[in-house]
Amino acid sequence: MTKFESSVKQIAYPVEDVYRNISDLSNLERVRHLVPGETMQTFNFDSDSVEVSVAPVGTIKLRVVERDENKCVKFETEQSPVPFNLLIQMLPVTETESTMQLTVEADIPFMLKGMIGGPLQDGVEKIADALSKIPYV
């Protein structure tokens, strides 16, 4: 397994609000309009899973497999060109601010690691950046 970590992101909301929104994927409805339609053909979700189809990657379906209140949410792939786990960790900084970091552990074949390692690291950073800007009210 190869590990990719985002930088630690500052979030201007309490950790309880961040966790509540991330741990229930049905909250994605509030930010659906932020998803770029030209790159994403499918964007479906319920409280425990999310499915996206992105050209040229294909369909990726993630399911929540672990929730640790106000600390982390762990996802595993149910469908993906490359199997991976996604961990979203959060920590309180003050009563009104928190931090977040994303970690992806992917089962990348050695021959592909050089080709997709950089883009995957960039993707993890972009997702973390986007999650840090969501209004968690």
Side-chain angles (χ1 to χ4, degrees), residues 80-105:
S80 173
V82 175
F84 66 91
N85 298 323
L86 168 66
L87 181 65
I88 302 175
Q89 297 171 293
M90 56 211 80
L91 291 170
V93 175
T94 67
E95 288 185 11
T96 59
E97 295 182 350
S98 54
T99 60
M100 174 188 296
Q101 183 176 31
L102 271 64
T103 303
V104 169
E105 290 186 346

Side-chain angles (χ1 to χ4, degrees), residues 19-60:
Y19 175 81
R20 184 182 65 249
N21 281 276
I22 289 177
S23 64
D24 181 355
L25 297 176
S26 61
N27 289 313
L28 289 171
E29 186 62 46
R30 293 185 310 107
V31 294
R32 181 187 286 271
H33 67 283
L34 299 175
V35 176
E38 64 276 0
T39 59
M40 198 170 298
Q41 292 110 14
T42 304
F43 184 53
N44 299 316
F45 50 86
D46 58 31
S47 62
D48 294 319
S49 65
V50 61
E51 178 181 358
V52 295
S53 291
V54 182
V57 176
T59 300
I60 297 173

